Amino acid sequence: MAMSRKSTEELQRYLLDGRSAIDDALDRALPSLGSTPPALHEAMRYTLLSPGKRLRGIVVLATCDLARGSREVALGPACAVEMVHAASLILDDLPCMDDATLRRGQTVLHKVSGEANAILAAVALLNAAFERIATTPGLRDRARRELTQQLAAAIGADGLIGGQLVDLESTGRRLDLERLEYIHSHKTGALFTAAAELGMLVGGARPREVEALRRYAKNLGLAFQITDDLLDYSGDPETTGKDAGLDRDKTTFVDLCGIDGARRLVDDLIDAAATALQPFGRKGRILASLAEFVRGRDR
Ligand code: GRG
């Protein structure tokens, strides 16, 4: 469904504000350049502060806003999610994984700092993420514990790491739709779902709201990955800021469903995400617009 001009403008403003609040908070969260050891801090900042869309952090802010939580408090978990995401990009780009050359419009970290420093920077970013959760002011003990647990679970064997491993061992093999969905709901979807869960925990959402927003995030995360497959197939590196054609040896949604079939799948998932928001009425409009943005994204 095409968005009205008013919704588009409102979302653009929300994305700009959210991105700039998250960028500032990320900058403040890390030791400044030149801190010891300088090479490590340079490497951490290189990927973390490069121009990402900050969509996962924005999902934390938007789900917290929906539950009428404090934006100030939500910025801590939003930064944590973006730190985990940046760590995963650094590792994913390594020669032993996707062997990428371009990320966020710049040369991948391991080609600038060497593989060893890139791996260390990724591990340091993961630690910085949990430090954020531990030090975010204004959280009750129970919420802090649950935030820690949700984020750890999203990264682990039943999340990004598990999905990535199955993705790597499936390279060069023909997969069916069920296995492909497993890979992507873990490798990509898990962090979107965690982002929504973190935002709801900060906002103190009620169980029925949590259930609905989990459904929203699950559909959004998978739709996001399918649009990523489409962009790998036909996107423009000038616009996406990353290599095209890296999925050449992998089975993608485009291989299994064709371009039109993959687009239809995205439509179905975005429609399901919008349906999950219906109980919230107008309060859910930013998240609904965000889903529309994912449907039409070119970067
Ligand atoms: C220990 C955190 C950790 C991970 C280890 C390497 C790995 C396991 C998982 C890889 C996960 C991964 C990179 C999935 C791809 C997700 C994806 C579509 C990334 C692109 O996201 P965008 O477009 O990127 O939101 P920007 O640059 O805008 O942030």
Side-chain angles (χ1 to χ4, degrees):
M1 204 211 318
M3 275 201 287
S4 69
R5 210 176 93 206
K6 202 165 150 221
S7 305
T8 308
E9 283 172 5
E10 186 183 32
L11 179 71
Q12 290 307 336
R13 243 190 337 270
Y14 194 91
L15 291 178
L16 265 178
D17 288 352
R19 206 176 298 143
S20 123
I22 292 169
D23 283 342
D24 288 350
L26 287 173
D27 189 25
R28 284 195 309 269
L30 290 184
S32 52
L33 270 183
S35 303
T36 308
L40 181 62
H41 294 293
E42 267 165 42
M44 289 167 77
R45 287 175 158 268
Y46 181 83
T47 300
L48 184 67
L49 302 184
S50 56
K53 294 182 286 295
R54 312 288 182 223
L55 280 189
R56 294 152 189 82
I58 284 167
V59 168
V60 177
L61 300 185
T63 44
C64 174
D65 284 350
L66 180 53
R68 300 205 190 289
S70 152
R71 164 65 69 104
E72 198 62 20
V73 179
L75 267 177
C79 285
V81 165
E82 286 295 330
M83 287 169 168
V84 169
H85 174 53
S88 81
L89 298 178
I90 294 171
L91 297 174
D92 193 44
D93 288 339
L94 289 171
C96 60
M97 300 210 194
D98 268 7
D99 197 10
T101 60
L102 191 66
R103 173 69 71 182
R104 294 178 169 173
Q106 58 183 31
T107 304
V108 289
L109 177 61
H110 66 267
K111 287 193 184 290
V112 174
S113 72
E115 284 180 41
N117 283 8
I119 292 169
L120 292 172
V123 178
L125 283 170
L126 279 178
N127 280 281
F130 284 100
E131 195 178 351
R132 275 300 87 212
I133 303 281
T135 56
T136 295
L139 283 171
R140 290 178 192 277
D141 286 353
R142 179 157 171 218
R144 199 183 302 282
R145 222 173 22 249
E146 285 181 20
L147 287 166
T148 309
Q149 193 261 325
Q150 300 278 11
L151 191 59
I155 298 169
D158 202 26
L160 271 71
I161 293 177
Q164 178 78 349
L165 187 135
V166 178
D167 188 21
L168 291 172
E169 67 183 16
S170 305
T171 303
R173 289 173 35 198
R174 178 90 181 161
L175 305 182
D176 59 21
L177 207 51
E178 194 183 340
R179 196 162 168 91
L180 194 60
E181 269 196 38
Y182 172 90
I183 292 172
H184 293 312
S185 58
H186 287 75
K187 191 179 100 160
T188 305
L191 202 52
F192 276 94
T193 309
E197 271 166 351
L198 266 52
M200 289 186 283
L201 269 167
V202 174
R206 288 186 289 252
R208 271 167 97 187
E209 296 177 322
V210 172
E211 186 50 43
L213 288 179
R214 253 196 215 124
R215 228 172 322 122
Y216 165 83
K218 193 164 179 261
N219 286 298
L220 182 77
L222 193 53
F224 187 85
Q225 178 60 50
I226 302 175
T227 53
D228 209 67
D229 283 4
L230 283 159
L231 289 174
D232 184 78
Y233 186 77
S234 55
D236 175 6
E238 284 279 331
T239 311
T240 62
K242 57 186 189 175
D243 308 285
L246 278 186
D247 293 341
R248 205 170 293 119
D249 299 333
K250 296 185 181 182
T251 303
T252 68
F253 283 96
V254 178
D255 296 323
L256 288 187
C257 313
I259 292 188
D260 290 344
R263 291 222 171 95
R264 271 197 302 276
L265 218 48
V266 171
D267 284 341
D268 291 347
L269 290 161
I270 295 299
D271 290 348
T275 304
L277 293 173
Q278 271 169 6
F280 299 102
R282 274 193 52 78
K283 274 200 317 174
R285 69 187 186 283
I286 289 291
L287 287 169
S289 300
L290 193 64
E292 288 304 329
F293 168 83
V294 166
R295 191 199 304 261
R297 77 188 182 102
D298 65 353
R299 61 197 68 215

